[in-house]
Amino acid sequence: MTKTDYDLVIIGAGPAGLTAGIYAARARMNVLLLEKAVPGGQILVTDWIENYPGFPEGISGYDLSEKMKIQAEELGLKIETAEVHSLNLSKELKEIILKDRSITTKSLIIASGASPRNIGIGEDKFMGKGVSFCATCDAPFFRDKTVVAIGGGDTAVQEAIFLTKFAKKVYLIHRRDELRATKILQERAFKNKKLEIIWDSVATGLEGFFGVEGVKVKNVKTNEEKTLKADGCFIWIGILPNTSFLNDAVKTDEFGFISVDTTMQASVPGVYAAGDVRDTPLRQISTAVGDAAIAAVSAEHFIENL
Ligand code: NAP
């Protein structure tokens, strides 16, 4: 296997990875960013972003990621399309195993993101056309409209309540007759006049031509089926960290998100995590960018002190 030495390798070219790349390139570190697909991450499928500072008119997810990528590359960041297979972090020089070779690096930033769990009701076809996984990002587009939210955990209930600040009506579809969400969120949901919970039910399909016009729902106890007329459908049945290559190389929380300290360092010295892949209370572009700046500067200090 060919061996290449880097000061820093970054895994993932979403906002966190690209930001870490910008900082590392400006610090003149010998840095490589690995991305398995197209740079941009989850924001590539975000239709319109209104809550990222500096763009008062808003900006499409595609345009924002392109700007970040151009900025990083103009500063000298090398981006390579390659999927990380596994990591060997047991030695001082960290080893990243790719399909055809392995790379060694003094420090590593894992910014591989997370993916919302899909239900499989054709949500791909309607992504950005009524289907969303992010109320903070998309709720304002549903002002005075009717939306469906799916799930019964903390995320679904909290976000469904948030949606009621914009939408005139929110249906929350849950597959059981009891919510998983914490009691205080349940109390708020039950009190909210704009929120109607559709119990014991699962979404079985989406209807619409150019965008979502309705959500097909089936009651799992009676098998009765109906269509809820709605302009949007938010899906919150859990998110999964993109860490298939990790194999317990660093500590994670109980859900698999990487645990870090305030310098974004994971349980192995010189290994950092930034953005959605880390254990964090908020998964936004702005928080990912902040994490990444801290992680890159921490990696720089780590190398200086080796
Ligand atoms: P979660 O707790 O795993 O809940 C997922 C929900 O989706 C559950 O209600 C589950 O139903 C439902 N679900 C799963 N698969 C489904 C399917 N195929 N079809 C229909 N429904 C399905 O996920 P989460 O709400 O994203 O929360 C993740 C973690 O973050 C949790 O520990 C949560 O407490 C935490 N969190 C905390 C806060 C807060 O403290 N404010 C906010 C957000 C998240 P069942 O209940 O029937 O299994």
Side-chain angles (χ1 to χ4, degrees), residues 42-49 59-63 127-131 138 141:
Q42 287 183 86
I43 63 167
L44 276 182
V45 293
T46 307
D47 185 37
W48 199 246
I49 295 160
I59 184 167
S60 76
Y62 176 83
D63 285 347
M127 267 313 293
K129 295 175 187 148
V131 167
D138 295 330
F141 300 118

Side-chain angles (χ1 to χ4, degrees), residues 195-264:
L195 185 62
E196 183 181 340
I197 304 176
I198 312 286
W199 299 105
D200 298 314
S201 296
V202 290
T204 55
L206 295 166
E207 288 182 354
F209 193 62
F210 294 114
V212 171
E213 290 168 21
V215 180
K216 285 198 242 173
V217 183
K218 181 178 161 186
N219 184 301
V220 291
K221 287 193 173 152
T222 63
N223 283 330
E224 185 201 333
E225 291 191 81
K226 62 180 173 187
T227 298
L228 296 171
K229 270 177 73 77
D231 307 287
C233 179
F234 286 77
I235 301 168
W236 290 301
I237 61 164
I239 69 160
L240 304 170
N242 299 330
T243 49
S244 57
F245 53 86
L246 206 56
N247 285 327
D248 300 328
V250 292
K251 284 194 185 133
T252 64
D253 69 6
E254 57 189 309
F255 308 107
F257 294 96
I258 298 173
S259 307
V260 293
D261 64 16
T262 52
T263 69
M264 300 299 143

Side-chain angles (χ1 to χ4, degrees), residues 117-119 150-159 173-176 178-182 185 201-203 236-239 254-255 257 281 283:
R117 286 182 61 195
N118 274 353
I119 309 187
I150 304 171
D154 282 334
T155 305
V157 175
Q158 187 170 304
E159 301 299 286
I173 301 175
H174 183 44
R175 63 183 175 183
R176 294 187 290 134
E178 197 186 348
L179 294 171
R180 179 179 294 276
T182 43
L185 287 175
S201 296
V202 290
W236 290 301
I237 61 164
I239 69 160
E254 57 189 309
F255 308 107
F257 294 96
R283 293 190 165 85

Side-chain angles (χ1 to χ4, degrees), residues 122-172:
E123 50 266 58
D124 289 354
K125 188 180 154 199
F126 289 103
M127 267 313 293
K129 295 175 187 148
V131 167
S132 172
F133 295 92
C134 178
T136 314
C137 319
D138 295 330
F141 300 118
F142 295 93
R143 202 176 289 277
D144 298 324
K145 297 195 168 168
T146 299
V147 295
V148 162
I150 304 171
D154 282 334
T155 305
V157 175
Q158 187 170 304
E159 301 299 286
I161 293 167
F162 177 73
L163 279 174
T164 63
K165 293 185 179 166
F166 301 87
K168 67 176 181 210
K169 172 91 188 175
V170 178
Y171 293 106
L172 179 65

